[in-house]
Amino acid sequence: MSDNVVHLHKTTEPTTETAPVTALTVVPNPALVKPVPLWVRSGRAIRTAITDERTTTAARAVARHGLYTVNGGRIVARRAWDGKTGARYERMLRAAEAAGNFEVAEEWEDRLQRFREARHRRRMDLLHSPVDAAKGVAVGAGMSVGVLVALGVVMAINNHDIGDVITPLAAVIDFIGLLIRIVQVVWGPALTIGPILALLALWTVGSKQQAAPAWALPDNIRSGEGEPITPSIVVKALRDLGVPALRNAIKEMGDAGAGMLGPIRIAGCGVEVDVMLPSGVSTIEVQNRRRKLAENLTRHEHEVFITIPPAARTVRLWIADSGALDEPIGPSPLVTDETMTANYKTGKAPWGQDLRGDTAALSLYQRHLLITGLSNQGKTAALRSLALWLALDRTVEFRIADLKGAGDWAMFDGLATVLIQGPTDEHVIEATEMVEDLVDEMERRMEQRLRDPATVFPPLVGIVDEAQVAFMCPAIDEDKKPYGGKKATSRYFMGVRKVHNQGRVVNVTLWEGTQDPTDENLPKLVREGAHTRASLALGTESQSRMALGDKAVNGGAAPHLLRQGLDKGTLVVASDGIDIPAGQSSITIRTHFVDDDEAKDITDRAKALRDGVTTLTVIERGEERDPLADVFSVLGDRPRVLTQDILKRLAMLNEDAYGKWSFVDLKRVLDGTGAEPYKSDGRMVVGRERVARALANRLDGGSASAGE
């Protein structure tokens, strides 16, 4: 039978049926409950008190300030020792020898020798100084007494009192007695206050140097937020990197590793330092530990970049100020400078800023371009900003295929001669034919170059955004040739390869933007055909190698370490068209963002530089043509157009029908219509109003015939 007391009482529970329910309550018997021992309650209270946040904060504060004083004394003693001995010179001498810089080592050895000679002279002077000091005191005291006595004699003669002879001497003796009494009064308190002031001075030195363990420092200091980079911090970060050979080498160095470091230079929104690794430590061992190195430097991984400079066995560290890379850069010069123009051959596009804060400008002259990255990282914006700059050169012709079709390139309507927008297979077919038209134009120019090697051709830039859609297209033409894929029969692939092989010689270049690269949607031959390769954030190192090449990644390029979503618009670029620090194979750029409205304003300025461009949005294929109507369509809004330009536009309108046309063919179509070519300013042109009148007359003639 239980010793507990059982109580029965009725309660009405909120059930579906309102029937009384008997509740059973068990109440412990107070007489049978054993009390908790006092030592248990005391232990719990002590543990609660010890683990309380206020207790730990107070304990850290006591430890911190105590260690500030102790370590401040060590710092002062070290400084005093360095000042009295040649320890500083010996440390620098050993560091120079360890770094293999023997010229600097000889200089420090000379300084050490001069210091020792000066110290020896001072010590020899001390042997003679007591005698000289005694002589000086005796002579000075004798002269002082003589002067005082002479002054007393003058006073005695003046006052007719012989007692005034010793009055000046007595006054001096009384003053000395007063000083002794003041010292006696002050001496006691000084013995008490002096050590306190000395401890306060040591505490001040220790607190300025933060001379306490990390666990004892305040939270805002322990976090390292904004902590400046110093040689000791860099050496400590390297020592704790987890490379045994590096750790042991630093311990054995007389200067505690300072000799490994070059000067720490301010570089943009961070600092840069070269580290010469000791023998037995490979640069790849440091590169592979980027995250740990960043954490040792109290930085995030994306705030530390490791590259390989020209010097052997050396790594170059660029360390950003905390949070600096999360701040946006300024607007593009394309937006702020409305008078800016471009020059395809000699100019460079203002793309953004490098990590040092310097302007990063890219030359586009005769360079094929590839930009890749994960989705929604700023690929189209980066590619479009280059096209916007180049559009300010009125000699450049654009043919654009946007296989996303979201309107990102819509502002080029009226500027590009071809503008395809859409993600369907039909759009891929049109984009493929656009690339094949580039090949035809390239071959035409090559033939002309053979006839006249001095011929200079205007720049022709083809742009395919979201090119992975073209490579993955399953459509097949009537000859059973696939549009997509990477085989020798793949039409888009072969068109790109042909442009890559010979296009730049005759100023025909191709720019491609693609996302999430693989061997399937970005074949090896295509990515290696680009002269400028740039990558935004990627998922894996293998993708980085696809995007930039093995050389760039081996040299420190790491787009796969960029933060997806947070580092939008940040590119790693490998190209000879941009200034890259000596010894590096890539550079990281934070690109300017130009929004759609700003892009439209820039394209409006570019259109104002041109005579008017008719943009083809659909490439016609395989139907009967009306030459006169086609001539009128390519004239655009201009009152007159050069016959040479009309022939080019007709060829772009339909390569099969007009690709081989000459001036004779154009004249044949216009003869007898009243719209014959005529001269204007010494050049043959076709008037828009005349062609319109010819079309109207033809329609009127057709109507009259039908009426008859």
Side-chain angles (χ1 to χ4, degrees):
M1 180 177 181
S2 174
D3 292 327
N4 293 330
V5 180
V6 179
H7 296 276
L8 294 176
H9 61 277
K10 292 185 178 180
T11 59
T12 302
E13 300 293 340
T15 59
T16 55
E17 297 181 1
T18 58
V21 178
T22 301
L24 183 65
T25 304
V26 179
V27 179
N29 188 347
L32 300 178
V33 176
K34 294 183 179 180
V36 179
L38 179 62
W39 65 270
V40 174
R41 295 199 302 272
S42 301
R44 292 174 180 172
I46 293 173
R47 184 179 63 182
T48 302
I50 291 175
T51 57
D52 186 76
E53 183 179 355
R54 291 171 294 181
T55 304
T56 56
T57 302
R60 284 210 316 268
V62 171
R64 177 170 65 252
H65 294 294
L67 290 170
Y68 280 168
T69 304
V70 174
N71 292 330
R74 292 176 58 236
I75 294 172
V76 171
R78 179 66 176 271
R79 291 174 180 174
W81 177 258
D82 287 346
K84 294 295 184 181
T85 67
R88 178 186 293 108
Y89 301 95
E90 292 175 356
R91 285 200 305 272
M92 300 308 296
L93 174 61
R94 288 194 298 270
E97 289 177 345
N101 198 338
F102 297 107
E103 293 182 1
V104 176
E106 291 178 0
E107 181 180 350
W108 282 111
E109 187 175 11
D110 292 340
R111 292 184 181 182
L112 176 60
Q113 186 63 29
R114 290 196 296 271
F115 171 81
R116 288 173 175 172
E117 291 175 356
R119 183 178 61 184
H120 176 71
R121 287 195 299 270
R122 290 194 300 271
R123 288 177 177 176
M124 295 303 295
D125 292 341
L126 288 176
L127 296 177
H128 305 286
S129 58
V131 177
D132 296 337
K135 290 180 180 180
V137 170
V139 173
M143 292 179 63
S144 299
V145 171
V147 171
L148 292 174
V149 171
L151 180 61
V153 171
V154 173
M155 292 176 61
I157 294 173
N158 183 60
N159 297 330
H160 305 288
D161 185 359
I162 191 65
D164 287 343
V165 173
I166 63 172
T167 297
L169 189 61
V172 171
I173 294 173
D174 291 341
F175 179 72
I176 293 174
L178 177 62
L179 292 178
I180 293 174
R181 286 193 294 274
I182 291 174
V183 171
Q184 288 174 343
V185 173
V186 174
W187 184 254
L191 290 177
T192 303
I193 298 174
I196 296 176
L197 294 177
L199 291 175
L200 181 60
L202 297 179
W203 177 88
T204 302
V205 173
S207 63
K208 287 184 178 180
Q209 298 292 327
Q210 298 294 331
W215 59 265
L217 296 175
D219 291 337
N220 60 334
I221 297 178
R222 280 190 296 139
S223 66
E225 187 70 24
E227 184 178 5
I229 298 299
T230 62
S232 60
I233 289 177
V234 176
V235 171
K236 186 175 182 298
L238 293 169
R239 185 195 67 194
D240 299 337
L241 200 56
V243 182
L246 180 59
R247 181 179 62 251
N248 296 335
I250 292 175
K251 289 181 179 179
E252 292 173 0
M253 292 180 183
D255 61 345
M260 298 191 306
L261 306 184
I264 297 179
R265 303 175 296 272
I266 296 177
C269 57
V271 296
E272 188 177 72
V273 59
D274 287 353
V275 181
M276 185 173 184
L277 301 175
S279 178
V281 181
S282 171
T283 56
I284 193 65
E285 293 182 276
V286 177
Q287 285 183 297
N288 289 341
R289 290 171 171 80
R290 178 187 175 191
R291 174 176 293 182
K292 189 170 185 179
L293 178 62
E295 292 172 349
N296 290 348
L297 292 167
T298 63
R299 295 293 190 271
H300 297 291
E301 184 178 11
H302 72 278
E303 294 176 328
V304 175
F305 288 82
I306 306 172
T307 54
I308 308 299
R313 215 174 65 229
T314 303
V315 293
R316 178 168 294 164
L317 307 181
W318 185 85
I319 307 160
D321 299 334
S322 291
L325 294 183
D326 297 327
E327 298 294 330
I329 64 175
S332 170
L334 293 171
V335 177
T336 59
D337 185 3
E338 295 185 357
T339 63
M340 175 176 283
T341 58
N343 188 299
Y344 171 72
K345 184 175 182 180
T346 61
K348 290 189 174 183
W351 212 3
Q353 295 179 358
D354 62 17
L355 296 179
R356 296 165 182 80
D358 299 327
T359 298
L362 178 68
S363 172
L364 302 171
Y365 178 62
Q366 293 186 344
R367 289 179 174 87
H368 303 302
L369 178 68
L370 172 65
I371 298 181
T372 187
L374 297 178
S375 177
N376 195 31
Q377 298 303 302
K379 168 179 50 61
T380 297
L383 185 62
R384 189 178 67 182
S385 66
L386 297 177
L388 289 171
W389 174 81
L390 193 57
L392 298 176
D393 183 343
R394 65 188 306 272
T395 66
V396 178
E397 176 189 346
F398 291 98
R399 301 182 187 181
I400 301 172
D402 174 17
L403 298 182
K404 181 173 18 178
D408 294 329
W409 296 87
M411 67 287 302
F412 280 80
D413 191 359
L415 183 59
T417 54
V418 175
L419 179 59
I420 300 165
Q421 301 182 87
T424 66
D425 289 350
E426 182 64 23
H427 293 101
V428 171
I429 293 172
E430 293 178 356
T432 301
E433 293 178 350
M434 182 194 79
V435 173
E436 291 174 341
D437 288 344
L438 291 177
V439 175
D440 293 339
E441 174 63 17
M442 175 192 73
E443 293 174 347
R444 185 190 66 79
R445 293 184 178 191
M446 294 292 291
E447 292 176 0
Q448 187 171 347
R449 174 66 63 84
L450 291 175
R451 293 192 299 268
D452 183 6
T455 304
V456 178
F457 300 100
L460 173 57
V461 178
I463 301 175
V464 181
D465 195 11
E466 305 295 342
Q468 77 279 354
V469 177
F471 285 113
M472 301 301 291
C473 178
I476 299 175
D477 66 8
E478 60 275 8
D479 296 327
K480 304 301 181 181
K481 291 183 178 180
Y483 286 93
K486 57 180 182 178
K487 297 180 179 179
T489 56
S490 301
R491 291 180 59 178
Y492 179 79
F493 171 72
M494 291 306 299
V496 171
R497 288 292 300 134
K498 289 177 181 178
V499 175
H500 279 180
N501 288 339
Q502 295 179 313
R504 61 176 298 274
V505 180
V506 289
N507 281 344
V508 177
T509 56
L510 182 62
W511 301 358
E512 290 182 287
T514 182
Q515 68 180 25
D516 202 11
T518 66
D519 281 328
E520 297 301 322
N521 64 26
L522 187 60
K524 178 179 172 59
L525 292 177
V526 170
R527 58 182 186 252
E528 291 185 351
H531 303 99
T532 295
R533 300 167 70 173
S535 176
L536 296 113
L538 288 173
T540 63
E541 181 179 333
S542 62
Q543 287 184 316
S544 296
R545 293 184 181 276
M546 292 181 190
L548 301 177
D550 291 337
K551 180 180 179 181
V553 175
N554 292 338
H560 56 284
L561 295 181
L562 295 174
R563 300 168 298 167
Q564 184 177 1
L566 298 177
D567 290 325
K568 283 187 177 182
T570 299
L571 284 164
V572 183
V573 183
S575 172
D576 62 349
I578 194 168
D579 293 333
I580 297 178
Q584 296 181 204
S585 55
S586 65
I587 187 171
T588 300
I589 298 174
R590 303 171 69 198
T591 58
H592 296 294
F593 176 71
V594 181
D595 62 31
D596 290 346
D597 293 335
E598 294 169 341
K600 188 177 185 304
D601 293 338
I602 297 169
T603 53
D604 288 342
R605 285 155 42 197
K607 293 172 186 176
L609 298 174
R610 290 164 168 79
D611 294 332
V613 176
T614 300
T615 298
L616 303 180
T617 57
V618 177
I619 299 178
E620 303 290 347
R621 305 184 299 277
E623 71 262 27
E624 293 294 331
R625 309 299 309 180
D626 182 349
L628 187 60
D630 287 343
V631 169
F632 181 75
S633 68
V634 300
L635 285 173
D637 297 328
R638 303 295 298 176
R640 64 186 65 87
V641 178
L642 295 174
T643 55
Q644 294 178 350
D645 292 340
I646 292 176
L647 291 172
K648 291 180 182 178
R649 296 178 185 181
L650 287 172
M652 287 185 294
L653 181 64
N654 191 296
E655 180 68 23
D656 295 334
Y658 305 117
K660 297 181 180 180
W661 266 33
S662 65
F663 175 74
V664 175
D665 298 306
L666 179 62
K667 187 174 181 301
R668 174 178 50 80
V669 171
L670 298 177
D671 280 346
T673 64
E676 293 83 356
Y678 63 95
K679 280 191 176 183
S680 175
D681 295 330
R683 305 183 70 180
M684 297 300 293
V685 298
V686 174
R688 184 177 187 277
E689 184 177 350
R690 296 185 181 186
V691 177
R693 190 183 307 117
L695 284 173
N697 291 338
R698 190 177 69 177
L699 292 175
D700 291 342
S703 299
S705 298
E708 292 176 357

